[in-house]
Amino acid sequence: MATPVKEKKYVYYFGGKKAEGDSDMKNLLGGKGANLAEMVNIGLPVPAGFTLSTEVCTSYYDNKRNYPKELKKQVLDALKRTEKEMGAVFGDKKNPLLVSVRSGARASMPGMMETVLNVGLNDITRDALIKKTNNPRFVLDSQRRLIQMYSDVVMEKAAGIEPKEGMGVRVQLERELHRLKEAKKYTSDTDLTTDDLKKLIEIYKKKVKEVLGKPFPEDAMEQLWGAIGAVFQSWNGKRAISYRRFEGIPDDWGTAVNVQSMVFGNMGDTSATGVAFTRNPATGEKYFYGEWLPNAQGEDVVAGIRTPNPINEVGKNEHTRHLTSLEKAMPRVYKELDAIQKKLEYHYRNMLDIEFTIQDGKLYMLQCRVGKRNGPAAVKMALEMFAEKLITREEAVMRVEPNQLDELLHPVLDPAAEKKVKPIAKGLPAGPGGATGQIVFTSEEAVAWAKKGKTVILVREETNPEDIEGMRAAQAILTARGGMTSHAALVARGWGKCCIVGAGTLKIEASKKTMKIDQVILKEGDYISLNGSKGYIYNGKLDMIKAAEENPDFQKFMKLCDAVRTMKIRTNADTPDDAVKARAFGAEGIGLFRTEHMFYGKNAEKPLFILRKMIVSKTVEERRKALDELFPFVKADIKQTLAAMDGYPVTVRTLDPPLHEFIPQHADGRKLIADSLKISMQEFDKRADALHETNPMMGHRGVRLGITYPEITEMQVRAVFEATAELLKDKKKPFPEIMIPVTCVDTELTDQYAIIDQVYAEVCAKFKIKEIPHLIGTMIEIPRAALTADKIAKVAQFFSFGTNDLTQMTFGFSRDDIGSFLPDYLEKKVLPVDPFNMLDREGVGQLIKIAVEKGRSTRKDLKIGICGEHGGEPSSIEFCYQQGFSYVSCSPFRVPIARLASAQARIRDLNTQAPVKKVAKKTVKSSSKPVKKATGKK
Ligand code: ADP
Ligand code: MG
Ligand code: MG
């Protein structure tokens, strides 16, 4: 019977040669469903099935957890098609079809949501399947797995039952399994006989009824709908919600559900299952990389129950050399798989993460998706795929998340320190860089210790999604079990966190909070160090160093970014040393040079002493004398910085902080200055106290100091101009930009400009030069300045947005006091993010827009930049690009991130105007031959 035309489509079939969906339909079908459909469409062997769309999920939650009325019939229709394709019937007494029920959200949420395998098995279909396959062991094993998974996922978790630690139905069933094995003195699951398994299934059923008060459902249809419901429920499970919060995935996206014919990797020695990547996700190297297990079902690889084998010979390392690869064990199937992975990578033009199962020598693809990778790998792959002409330069630039660059600059254990000690254990290198910290054995402790400001390493037998918060809080993660695709490894890689898995010699006793490695016993709180790139574990606290920025891949990638971007990147540097470092990171000038920093830190004693004298001076004469003394120091500092940035502009900000900040607290310090000024301590204290302010943030600072004490401005700009003139004489190319802070009205600038003009003329005359190249501008950090930017731009030749203060002034949030309330704002979602971290486009951004527009209405070529913390934050950088900024300025270590973020902002902008030209996507004809072009050389 034909379905009515108007009926909304909720279910999408895939199988045979053609699917109803494709990889562009991720929003509707979820990532897994869309890619299963795509694999069918390009002719890969995929077990048939169908996808219930994410709209079912949203409709379900919008309608008090009821399905749309069209759903049932659509599911049954799709099931019919599946049965026809597979030549078996769901729930049939003679020729039964089994299915898996798999979750699949738009964005991958590894291990967060539930999957139930072997749905449709009961005592009757079991016997039919035994007859059909002549393999009772495998059928019984599958039934046992179904009961275990189903009772846990559907009957317990989805029903909202929260059992006490160790009392969950899954654990209790596992205990029964152990009991049986112990009684029979078996060491491995595979020792169980068919009779044992039969008995175990009966024990399981009894236990399920006992624990959950309900029998395990024997009816196949009831199982199917139960499992579907459980996947939808799992979208709103605690850990899924918590994961979404961390990853910023909206709650209303919903998950899809995939119902797919089962294929069996546990049918014997010609069957297997595995997980692989088209390139190595930890290093980016171009070779097929993965793990497999003979005679197993898929979850075994991910769960870390058995340590898997390497998929091929090239992927072997010193820990896995003795294991059998799929390449050796099943050469024909391996070849087919290798051809498929090449075809897939070429088709998707990206590194993919794939899941497959081999049933009795026949290969099936169960999943593919764009693979997670760490920062170094992302950079390497982007560069190589660009070189292979698989992707364009713009695509290569888009392939690396700005924050991933941090990992290339990731701290590592100091190699010198590492050389001196021997590792106490080894594991699989699952995450980049190094870490050192105190060990804790539970997720809760990791969170609690981290809250107290401790650096911890979370040590677990294996991790599961319940550990997420602890993993997040920990500096690094170490597990005793599991492979490179285990939960711990996947999650850590996604975050770029140092991680070692499968360190088999660790004997963890979590209840006693100790672990033993050979003879060494380590307790909670003891220090260990990890080398996540090699898999080495050390006792004690080793020194760490920042990773080398000389990494050739990194430099090459930065060049790609620079070729694309148009906005300049400057740095905030307070010392000549900072300036040199920032140049190495690619800074194209200094956007903020805070002269007051010469009064702190190295060699600051003398100038600080003079500055203090200047501050407590009472008469202009006293003050001028002190300023004259100070002058050579200021000039030298500025000159060195200009020289370090030769050829690039340096924004020198005039003195900004309130003066009383520099007054010594202690009597000794005060006495020294008093003596030097030849005044009494009493007099000194009186003068110092006069400087006290109730609200110094809005007090006597910035340009206001220059208004009250013109001689301070005078001394500073003289230092700038003389330093520049001297460098010019040395044939250098200095370019100072004098920046007046805390301006709120144009007349402040007019006042200061007169002083600057006068000094400029004097310095030119003194050095007998006609012109000293420079600009004079202002910070925009007070809302009034933004609102009157047209007037301000009459005087100022450039604006630099001081978004720290501008945010403070716009929100009325004291930067120094947000600690007491901002966490509550974020917790209660009153604010989505900390506005001091990510620029508030709606409020502060509006002021910026107004200021840019008004400023440029007066002065077309007005130079515009930003020097607040936001200058190093990718989303804020994008905003600056969109407003037509000339540059952003950030701390030296953020410069590479800003270069990338700025390039990406431009690409996104071009894409919205006209899509970036892609490398022609050739449709690969379905065949098992490898696609030559995508292979390249090894
Ligand atoms: P996740 O998205 O959490 O990885 P999956 O839906 O991929 O969960 O299921 C977990 C594992 O179950 C898969 O890796 C796969 O090996 C196995 N699996 C799922 N569906 C089938 C199927 N139809 N036949 C055989 N194995 C399956
Ligand atoms: Mg999967
Ligand atoms: Mg400021």
Side-chain angles (χ1 to χ4, degrees):
M1 223 177 48
T3 38
V5 207
K6 288 267 169 60
E7 188 176 288
K8 190 168 170 76
K9 189 167 176 62
Y10 285 109
V11 177
Y12 292 76
Y13 173 77
F14 57 85
K17 297 244 170 318
K18 185 89 187 80
E20 292 180 333
D22 62 45
S23 61
D24 291 334
M25 293 164 70
K26 292 205 176 68
N27 291 354
L28 193 61
L29 303 182
K32 198 179 288 168
N35 287 329
L36 281 168
E38 186 80 10
M39 286 199 289
V40 167
N41 291 338
I42 62 171
L44 302 188
V46 176
F50 50 89
T51 305
L52 284 70
S53 77
T54 53
E55 288 176 353
V56 179
C57 187
T58 28
S59 158
Y60 177 78
Y61 282 108
D62 286 349
N63 292 291
K64 302 192 181 132
R65 309 202 176 204
N66 288 307
Y67 295 127
K69 60 179 187 326
E70 303 91 332
L71 185 71
K72 190 161 178 205
K73 182 170 176 304
Q74 291 187 20
V75 165
L76 294 179
D77 286 348
L79 186 59
K80 279 246 158 57
R81 284 178 80 176
T82 307
E83 290 170 340
K84 210 166 151 214
E85 176 65 33
M86 301 304 290
V89 178
F90 187 68
D92 194 65
K93 291 187 179 115
K94 286 209 182 94
N95 180 22
L97 175 75
L98 303 187
V99 298
S100 64
V101 176
R102 317 172 64 186
S103 59
R106 274 195 225 182
S108 139
M109 299 167 61
M112 284 301 127
M113 318 241 327
E114 307 297 355
T115 285
V116 187
L117 304 181
N118 308 323
V119 173
L121 260 186
N122 52 35
D123 290 350
I124 297 168
T125 52
R126 168 182 91 188
D127 291 339
L129 213 57
I130 291 177
K131 230 182 194 167
K132 188 176 156 188
T133 60
N134 210 3
N135 189 342
R137 258 204 71 82
F138 130 74
V139 178
L140 291 163
D141 185 47
S142 304
Q143 190 180 10
R144 160 188 88 77
R145 286 169 187 266
L146 169 67
I147 299 173
Q148 217 164 301
M149 242 187 260
Y150 192 94
S151 59
D152 172 45
V153 170
V154 184
M155 299 174 73
E156 187 170 275
K157 286 214 183 85
I161 299 170
E162 287 185 29
K164 280 210 239 21
E165 178 71 31
M167 296 306 281
V169 65
R170 194 172 197 140
V171 184
Q172 295 212 44
L173 294 184
E174 259 158 28
R175 236 178 261 144
E176 295 299 329
L177 172 66
H178 274 285
R179 200 167 293 157
L180 185 76
K181 272 165 68 182
E182 246 162 46
K184 300 255 175 178
K185 303 216 163 52
Y186 296 155
T187 53
S188 158
D189 286 9
T190 43
D191 295 334
L192 295 164
T193 66
T194 51
D195 278 343
D196 292 334
L197 283 167
K198 259 193 199 142
K199 204 154 108 205
L200 188 63
I201 288 165
E202 288 317 307
I203 296 173
Y204 269 19
K205 285 187 186 169
K206 238 193 243 136
K207 198 77 199 175
V208 168
K209 180 126 193 253
E210 182 192 312
V211 177
L212 298 166
K214 260 199 244 170
F216 174 79
E218 284 282 295
D219 181 67
M221 267 307 165
E222 188 185 339
Q223 287 177 11
L224 177 62
W225 285 104
I228 291 174
V231 175
F232 286 135
Q233 294 284 4
S234 69
W235 177 256
N236 270 348
K238 244 201 239 153
R239 25 181 210 162
I241 292 175
S242 144
Y243 186 89
R244 285 202 292 275
R245 192 149 7 95
F246 280 139
E247 300 290 324
I249 298 171
D251 289 338
D252 60 8
W253 276 7
T255 182
V257 177
N258 302 287
V259 177
Q260 186 177 30
S261 310
M262 279 302 295
V263 287
F264 300 99
N266 55 338
M267 266 176 92
D269 291 341
T270 54
S271 298
T273 186
V275 180
F277 299 86
T278 59
R279 302 187 187 206
N280 186 325
T283 63
E285 287 166 290
K286 188 183 173 176
Y287 64 86
F288 187 35
Y289 178 87
E291 296 174 332
W292 75 294
L293 276 176
N295 198 12
Q297 278 200 329
E299 26 139 31
D300 299 351
V301 181
V302 187
I305 293 169
R306 288 156 62 186
T307 299
N309 301 345
I311 206 161
N312 50 19
E313 297 299 305
V314 294
K316 284 189 171 178
N317 60 32
E318 55 182 297
H319 312 290
T320 57
R321 200 163 310 289
H322 62 287
L323 300 169
T324 313
S325 67
L326 184 70
E327 188 178 12
K328 280 274 153 72
M330 304 184 191
R332 187 188 52 78
V333 182
Y334 175 78
K335 249 190 169 159
E336 190 187 342
L337 180 65
D338 190 38
I340 286 177
Q341 66 91 6
K342 282 170 181 154
K343 179 171 177 171
L344 273 172
E345 184 178 284
Y346 186 70
H347 182 77
Y348 278 88
R349 302 181 312 120
N350 208 331
M351 187 273 275
L352 298 183
D353 167 343
I354 61 183
E355 294 180 5
F356 64 91
T357 282
I358 299 159
Q359 173 176 322
D360 203 10
K362 182 159 173 25
L363 173 66
Y364 292 95
M365 301 306 296
L366 293 178
Q367 191 173 329
C368 78
R369 65 183 159 199
V370 170
K372 291 210 167 151
R373 60 204 74 183
N374 60 34
V379 168
K380 190 176 187 71
M381 286 181 207
L383 285 172
E384 292 189 357
M385 287 183 184
F386 173 55
E388 291 160 27
K389 299 205 164 67
L390 195 60
I391 57 176
T392 62
R393 181 178 67 186
E394 285 72 18
E395 284 175 302
V397 170
M398 295 306 285
R399 286 282 166 91
V400 180
E401 304 260 332
N403 289 325
Q404 276 187 320
L405 280 186
D406 253 352
E407 294 165 41
L408 272 88
L409 317 159
H410 217 273
V412 292
L413 295 181
D414 180 356
E418 223 180 327
K419 245 187 217 147
K420 285 189 218 139
V421 286
K422 264 216 168 119
I424 48 168
K426 291 176 190 174
L428 300 175
T436 175
Q438 294 175 277
I439 48 180
V440 292
F441 293 94
T442 66
S443 191
E444 293 75 61
E445 249 130 34
V447 173
W449 286 51
K451 252 198 194 132
K452 282 188 256 161
K454 301 212 163 136
T455 306
V456 297
I457 294 180
L458 179 61
V459 180
R460 303 283 288 159
E461 197 65 39
E462 66 203 292
T463 65
N464 62 46
E466 263 115 62
D467 292 318
I468 282 290
E469 286 185 283
M471 295 168 78
R472 175 73 69 163
Q475 193 75 13
I477 300 148
L478 169 62
T479 73
R481 286 196 292 183
M484 291 290 279
T485 46
S486 64
H487 179 260
L490 276 179
V491 171
R493 198 173 302 130
W495 292 342
K497 187 166 277 205
C498 176
C499 175
I500 294 176
V501 297
T505 55
L506 257 64
K507 301 276 171 293
I508 300 171
E509 286 218 63
S511 57
K512 288 194 194 150
K513 301 189 175 180
T514 61
M515 68 173 178
K516 202 171 148 194
I517 304 168
D518 295 328
Q519 298 314 312
V520 189
I521 293 179
L522 293 168
K523 303 183 305 296
E524 180 182 77
D526 286 347
Y527 275 93
I528 58 170
S529 303
L530 308 183
N531 178 333
S533 315
K534 285 212 182 112
Y536 295 165
I537 302 146
Y538 301 96
N539 196 354
K541 197 174 173 180
L542 298 195
D543 285 343
M544 307 269 303
I545 52 165
K546 269 266 172 199
E549 45 268 15
E550 288 95 56
N551 180 335
D553 277 350
F554 170 71
Q555 299 297 0
K556 256 203 243 165
F557 184 72
M558 283 291 105
K559 283 221 181 82
L560 281 194
C561 297
D562 291 346
V564 175
R565 88 184 145 83
T566 47
M567 187 165 66
K568 299 261 184 243
I569 310 298
R570 295 196 195 177
T571 191
N572 299 350
D574 298 325
T575 63
D577 285 353
D578 277 0
V580 172
K581 193 191 308 153
R583 277 292 294 272
F585 280 123
E588 299 158 300
I590 291 180
L592 178 61
F593 176 60
R594 286 171 280 214
T595 40
E596 55 268 20
H597 277 253
M598 66 177 287
F599 304 114
Y600 310 109
K602 243 187 354 199
N603 306 327
E605 228 164 87
K606 185 89 192 282
L608 179 60
F609 182 76
I610 308 168
L611 178 78
R612 285 169 168 171
K613 257 173 45 180
M614 187 276 285
I615 289 167
V616 287
S617 298
K618 202 133 190 224
T619 63
V620 181
E621 289 69 45
E622 255 177 17
R623 197 172 307 107
R624 275 201 185 278
K625 221 174 127 233
L627 284 168
D628 285 347
E629 269 186 83
L630 200 52
F631 176 77
F633 291 95
V634 177
K635 179 170 148 187
D637 202 43
I638 291 172
K639 189 174 169 184
Q640 274 182 56
T641 304
L642 282 169
M645 275 286 158
D646 192 41
Y648 291 109
V650 173
T651 309
V652 181
R653 182 176 72 179
T654 53
L655 205 58
D656 181 62
L659 294 182
H660 75 94
E661 273 188 18
F662 297 102
I663 299 291
Q665 303 295 323
H666 298 293
D668 296 2
R670 292 184 168 216
K671 177 129 191 359
L672 276 177
I673 303 169
D675 288 352
S676 145
L677 281 173
K678 301 194 177 73
I679 56 173
S680 69
M681 272 295 272
Q682 225 175 355
E683 172 64 17
F684 181 93
D685 288 347
K686 210 172 100 194
R687 292 185 188 184
D689 290 348
L691 290 169
H692 174 80
E693 290 176 317
T694 315
N695 200 343
M697 269 289 184
M698 296 199 270
H700 202 176
R701 55 177 288 212
V703 66
R704 295 158 208 174
L705 292 171
I707 303 273
T708 319
Y709 311 115
E711 55 279 10
I712 296 183
T713 304
E714 197 186 310
M715 180 278 288
Q716 294 180 85
V717 297
R718 191 180 306 280
V720 172
F721 287 135
E722 287 202 7
T724 311
E726 284 175 14
L727 287 167
L728 286 171
K729 294 256 157 182
D730 289 347
K731 302 261 176 297
K732 292 244 168 25
K733 290 199 194 71
F735 193 83
E737 302 184 349
I738 296 168
M739 179 161 80
I740 311 288
V742 208
T743 309
C744 63
V745 52
D746 58 321
T747 43
E748 287 170 324
L749 285 181
T750 324
D751 175 277
Q752 295 293 295
Y753 196 86
I755 303 168
I756 298 170
D757 227 19
Q758 165 88 33
V759 175
Y760 178 73
E762 286 167 17
V763 176
C764 284
K766 177 174 170 190
F767 285 80
K768 300 193 174 59
I769 35 182
K770 275 212 197 85
E771 196 192 356
I772 301 172
H774 72 281
L775 293 178
I776 297 164
T778 184
M779 274 177 91
I780 303 286
E781 52 187 334
I782 292 177
R784 194 188 187 285
L787 295 171
T788 58
D790 46 345
K791 284 179 143 181
I792 289 183
K794 287 205 174 113
V795 196
Q797 294 167 299
F798 69 87
F799 286 174
S800 175
F801 287 93
T803 49
N804 297 344
D805 269 326
L806 190 59
T807 300
Q808 167 168 272
M809 301 278 191
T810 305
F811 278 83
F813 287 175
S814 162
R815 269 152 78 181
D816 301 322
D817 303 309
I818 45 170
S820 56
F821 58 88
L822 196 66
D824 299 326
Y825 272 61
L826 300 176
E827 177 70 28
K828 294 190 173 172
K829 297 193 174 166
V830 176
L831 281 177
V833 290
D834 175 354
F836 289 99
N837 175 39
M838 188 186 285
L839 190 90
D840 159 51
R841 295 187 185 198
E842 193 182 6
V844 179
Q846 205 176 139
L847 284 170
I848 292 177
K849 268 189 193 165
I850 292 170
V852 170
E853 200 173 292
K854 288 198 160 186
R856 289 216 165 120
S857 75
T858 307
R859 191 187 289 269
K860 261 219 318 275
D861 62 347
L862 183 73
K863 207 175 200 180
I864 294 173
I866 178 174
C867 61
E869 281 304 305
H870 302 97
E873 192 280 317
S875 147
S876 314
I877 292 171
E878 177 173 44
F879 179 79
C880 293
Y881 170 83
Q882 289 165 349
Q883 304 317 311
F885 276 43
S886 323
Y887 69 87
V888 297
S889 187
C890 56
S891 69
F893 275 103
R894 306 290 298 175
V895 167
I897 291 167
R899 285 159 82 187
L900 173 57
S902 155
Q904 292 189 341
R906 171 139 196 274
I907 293 169
R908 269 190 221 107
D909 183 32
L910 294 175
N911 275 345
T912 52
Q913 290 163 24
V916 169
K917 220 181 88 207
K918 287 185 183 168
V919 172
K921 180 167 158 181
K922 289 189 197 108
T923 3
V924 185
K925 284 271 142 25
S926 96
S927 88
S928 57
K929 263 188 282 159
V931 183
K932 284 268 163 47
K933 226 176 133 210
T935 3
K937 314 160 226 74
K938 257 202 192 121

